[in-house]
Amino acid sequence: MLTSLKISNYALIEELYTKPDQSFTIITGETGAGKSILLGALGLIIGQRADLNALKDKSKKCIVEAQFSIENYDLKALFLANDLDYDPLTIVRREITPNGKSRAFINDTPVNLNQLKELGDHLIDIHSQHNTLTLNTNQFQLKLIDALAENKQLLVDYTTAYKLYKSTKKVLTEKEASIAQAKAEENFLQFQFDELDQLRLVENEDEELEEEQRSLEHVEDTKVSLSAALNHLINQDENAMDLIRLGKTQLSDASKYNKVAEELNQRLSSLFIELQDITSELELENEKLEYDPERLEYIRERLSSIFSLQKKHSVSSVKELIAIKNTIEDKLLAITNFDDDINRLKSDLLKAEELLLKVSKELSVRRNAAKPILEAQVKELLSRLGMKNAILSVQINPIENFTLNGKEEVQFLFTANKGLEERELSKVASGGELSRLMLAIKRILAQKEHLPTIIFDEIDTGVSGEIADKVGDILKEMSHDLQIISITHLPQMASKGNSHLKVYKEDVGNVTHSYIKELTKDERIEELAKMLSGSKTTTAAIDNAKALLNE
């Protein structure tokens, strides 16, 4: 509930501070005194757009600050989701700077307008003639029925089942689409796989084949070089092996008397052994090295096939081609398993649909049970409000598809006059009738839900004093369950409040200012008397005012 409101530099208000009653507060004042300004300031608190023209003094910033007691509103999750500090006494502040910039704060944490609106929906409901249009919406009508049927937990269950149903259906649809696309590509994928599979690719074989190809292409040159090397090592009259053998003999003789010669002889012996081994391998390699044109042609053709596939798939190695083949194989395997996936998803969807249908039927049963109760309660309240022949008929019609609210639509039909057929609200109800119908509905809602503070802006417009008295009684009843603030011009209404605030304006020099004050008992009698008789109060008016206040 709204516990305090502070306004500075807004429209006609220079400074204003007020604390409405926790149950029922009445606001009165002459036309143009500034009652609508209060609504505008409160609109800023709940996220309405700011207007630079609202600044009284264009050189100073405008500040509207409201404190709310929210411990009974179950808003901790909302604060957590928006990364805000939760406080049972929450302060909402809105600032408009002289350059037109607007800033908003919740418990001193900066927030954007969407966050402010989200919280504001739980704090204040400003009820005006425009607000009654929500009566025509299917969403509001369902909300009313569900509140009366006490469907809160069942709606949570339905929403959970609905989300599961929709998500499963989406996955199935996407899977079916991917199957259709995959099957269209299946032949091409199979062709690509076969083309790669037929090569029987081996990782890194391209590098090995290229090396072998270079060797075969230069066999003759290689044999010439190997033969020449062998000649130098063993085949010529003076060859390396004979010369090293002779050197070993000489060093062996010298080593008998020279230690260095002995070490050198050992090293030369090792070199001789290594050279013998090299010579042996050279002879073997030279003997087996032959030109093989068939093998060379095979290598060239295979490398050509490999390079062609690399170019086709925009890769540069056999390893990447193998990876592509494996990926294609996985896709082909997935296509063969699609039927199993589809059957599983269809089974899941059927289970989700059965659960959703079960919960939606429970919703429908409870809604239909609540329908005559709502119709009777509305009729009784409208009768109290001077509409004795008014009838609200609630139609609950099944629909083919599931929606977020169930498998049915609700439609309110209405007539205010005896003998006339009920029709859609928007086609038959006048503004005044809609206002009284909305009041009756909010009275019913107040008994079932934790509604935010409701501010009624002249809901008694166009009604007689007798009906205004009844409207006041209903608002008084509502104030037992929630905080009510009502702006009125009728004394019968004004007498019902626990607290009475008067908005007035005064000229200070060349500037008009709006003020608000809480009336004392005597001031309240005086105010009601003026509302009854005009600016000049009479003894009779005073007596009537006292009677209205039960004084």
Side-chain angles (χ1 to χ4, degrees), residues 178-179 181-183 185-186 188-190 192-193 323-338 341:
S178 65
I179 288 174
Q181 182 179 0
K183 286 191 175 294
E185 296 176 351
E186 185 176 12
F188 178 63
L189 289 172
Q190 188 65 55
Q192 285 185 313
F193 175 80
I324 290 171
K325 188 194 83 165
N326 292 337
T327 299
I328 294 173
E329 187 176 20
D330 290 341
K331 288 182 179 179
L332 289 169
L333 186 62
I335 291 173
T336 61
N337 294 332
F338 272 158
D341 293 340

Side-chain angles (χ1 to χ4, degrees), residues 212-253:
E212 186 179 356
Q213 180 186 21
R214 286 193 299 270
S215 177
L216 285 172
E217 287 175 342
H218 297 86
V219 165
E220 296 300 327
D221 293 339
T222 304
K223 283 186 71 70
V224 169
S225 297
L226 291 179
S227 296
L230 284 170
N231 285 336
H232 289 303
L233 289 172
I234 59 173
N235 292 334
Q236 292 182 358
D237 291 339
E238 286 191 3
N239 57 69
M241 290 293 288
D242 289 343
L243 291 173
I244 291 174
R245 188 181 293 110
L246 181 60
K248 275 174 79 283
T249 301
Q250 298 300 325
L251 281 174
S252 179
D253 291 340

Side-chain angles (χ1 to χ4, degrees), residues 110-145:
V111 294
N112 58 43
L113 279 189
N114 288 333
Q115 291 172 305
L116 197 61
K117 287 177 182 177
E118 186 179 5
L119 178 62
D121 288 342
H122 297 277
L123 300 180
I124 300 176
D125 175 9
I126 299 178
H127 179 84
S128 61
Q129 187 84 356
H130 172 74
N131 184 251
T132 59
L133 297 179
T134 58
L135 261 175
N136 298 319
T137 64
N138 181 258
Q139 185 177 4
F140 181 85
Q141 293 169 4
L142 269 174
K143 177 183 177 182
L144 177 60
I145 286 288

